[in-house]
Amino acid sequence: SPYNTWIREEGHLERVWDLAETAAKIMGIDQVRIDIFIKRGDPDAIAINENSISSGMGYRAHFEFMPKIWAQGHVEKWYKTYEGASKDLPVYEQSYPK
Protein backbone atom coordinates (compact mmCIF):
# COMPACT_ATOMS: atom_id res chain seq x y z
CA SER A 1 0.00 0.00 0.00
CA PRO A 2 1.32 3.48 -0.81
CA TYR A 3 0.13 4.61 2.64
CA ASN A 4 2.54 2.45 4.61
CA THR A 5 5.60 1.98 2.37
CA TRP A 6 7.46 4.41 4.65
CA ILE A 7 7.58 1.66 7.28
CA ARG A 8 9.80 -0.46 5.05
CA GLU A 9 11.61 2.37 3.29
CA GLU A 10 12.69 4.08 6.53
CA GLY A 11 14.03 0.85 8.03
CA HIS A 12 11.38 0.35 10.71
CA LEU A 13 10.82 -3.36 10.01
CA GLU A 14 14.39 -4.33 10.86
CA ARG A 15 14.21 -2.35 14.11
CA VAL A 16 10.82 -3.88 15.01
CA TRP A 17 12.08 -7.43 14.46
CA ASP A 18 15.26 -6.77 16.45
CA LEU A 19 13.31 -5.30 19.37
CA ALA A 20 10.71 -8.10 19.40
CA GLU A 21 13.36 -10.83 19.27
CA THR A 22 15.43 -9.15 21.98
CA ALA A 23 12.39 -8.84 24.26
CA ALA A 24 11.44 -12.49 23.72
CA LYS A 25 14.99 -13.61 24.49
CA ILE A 26 15.11 -11.51 27.65
CA MET A 27 11.77 -12.98 28.74
CA GLY A 28 13.01 -16.46 27.90
CA ILE A 29 9.65 -17.22 26.35
CA ASP A 30 8.86 -19.45 23.39
CA GLN A 31 5.90 -17.44 22.12
CA VAL A 32 4.78 -13.89 22.76
CA ARG A 33 2.84 -11.18 21.00
CA ILE A 34 4.59 -7.83 21.19
CA ASP A 35 2.94 -4.60 20.07
CA ILE A 36 5.48 -1.97 19.09
CA PHE A 37 5.09 1.77 18.51
CA ILE A 38 7.03 3.33 15.64
CA LYS A 39 7.34 6.97 14.58
CA ARG A 40 7.38 8.08 10.98
CA GLY A 41 10.70 9.71 10.14
CA ASP A 42 12.52 8.30 13.17
CA PRO A 43 13.32 4.55 13.16
CA ASP A 44 15.13 4.94 16.50
CA ALA A 45 11.94 6.17 18.20
CA ILE A 46 10.71 2.65 18.88
CA ALA A 47 9.00 1.34 22.00
CA ILE A 48 7.13 -1.70 23.20
CA ASN A 49 3.51 -0.80 23.83
CA GLU A 50 2.44 -4.12 25.36
CA ASN A 51 3.11 -7.84 25.30
CA SER A 52 0.91 -10.87 25.78
CA ILE A 53 1.44 -14.62 25.92
CA SER A 54 -1.89 -15.21 24.15
CA SER A 55 -3.67 -13.52 21.30
CA GLY A 56 -7.04 -13.42 23.05
CA MET A 57 -8.74 -15.27 20.22
CA GLY A 58 -11.18 -18.12 20.87
CA TYR A 59 -9.49 -21.51 20.78
CA ARG A 60 -12.72 -23.56 20.81
CA ALA A 61 -12.09 -27.29 21.33
CA HIS A 62 -8.38 -26.71 21.96
CA PHE A 63 -8.97 -24.47 24.98
CA GLU A 64 -8.94 -27.18 27.66
CA PHE A 65 -5.69 -28.68 26.33
CA MET A 66 -3.69 -25.49 25.82
CA PRO A 67 -2.78 -24.89 29.49
CA LYS A 68 -1.60 -28.49 29.83
CA ILE A 69 0.56 -28.28 26.71
CA TRP A 70 1.97 -24.89 27.72
CA ALA A 71 2.77 -26.10 31.25
CA GLN A 72 4.33 -29.39 30.15
CA GLY A 73 7.55 -27.77 28.94
CA HIS A 74 7.93 -25.96 32.25
CA VAL A 75 7.06 -28.95 34.43
CA GLU A 76 9.43 -31.23 32.51
CA LYS A 77 12.10 -28.49 32.32
CA TRP A 78 12.46 -28.41 28.53
CA TYR A 79 13.74 -24.84 28.79
CA LYS A 80 17.26 -23.48 28.99
CA THR A 81 18.15 -20.73 31.43
CA TYR A 82 19.29 -17.39 30.07
CA GLU A 83 23.04 -17.01 29.95
CA GLY A 84 25.16 -14.05 29.10
CA ALA A 85 26.71 -10.94 30.56
CA SER A 86 23.38 -9.64 31.83
CA LYS A 87 21.93 -12.90 33.21
CA ASP A 88 21.93 -11.49 36.76
CA LEU A 89 20.57 -8.11 35.69
CA PRO A 90 16.87 -7.56 36.44
CA VAL A 91 14.78 -7.59 33.26
CA TYR A 92 13.64 -3.99 33.80
CA GLU A 93 17.28 -2.86 33.65
CA GLN A 94 18.14 -4.72 30.46
CA SER A 95 18.19 -2.58 27.37
CA TYR A 96 17.76 -2.86 23.64
CA PRO A 97 20.98 -2.27 21.71
CA LYS A 98 20.74 0.59 19.20
Side-chain angles (χ1 to χ4, degrees):
S1 164
Y3 299 104
N4 59 15
T5 56
W6 62 271
I7 296 170
R8 180 180 36 81
E9 291 170 354
E10 292 181 8
H12 294 278
L13 291 178
E14 182 177 329
R15 300 287 290 158
V16 165
W17 279 109
D18 287 345
L19 178 57
E21 288 176 349
T22 299
K25 287 177 184 176
I26 289 170
M27 287 187 266
I29 196 164
D30 52 356
Q31 177 179 324
V32 64
R33 187 195 83 224
I34 299 181
D35 299 342
I36 298 174
F37 287 139
I38 60 174
K39 181 180 178 184
R40 190 177 202 159
D42 189 358
D44 289 329
I46 187 171
I48 293 177
N49 172 42
E50 64 179 287
N51 60 66
S52 175
I53 61 170
S54 72
S55 68
M57 67 176 276
Y59 295 105
R60 303 179 185 245
H62 304 289
F63 189 77
E64 71 176 281
F65 303 103
M66 290 180 63
K68 294 174 188 172
I69 292 169
W70 178 80
Q72 185 177 8
H74 299 280
V75 171
E76 297 181 15
K77 300 188 186 292
W78 295 346
Y79 57 86
K80 294 180 182 176
T81 56
Y82 179 74
E83 294 181 13
S86 61
K87 73 175 187 155
D88 296 323
L89 192 64
V91 69
Y92 56 85
E93 291 184 7
Q94 296 187 23
S95 62
Y96 170 66
K98 289 189 176 192

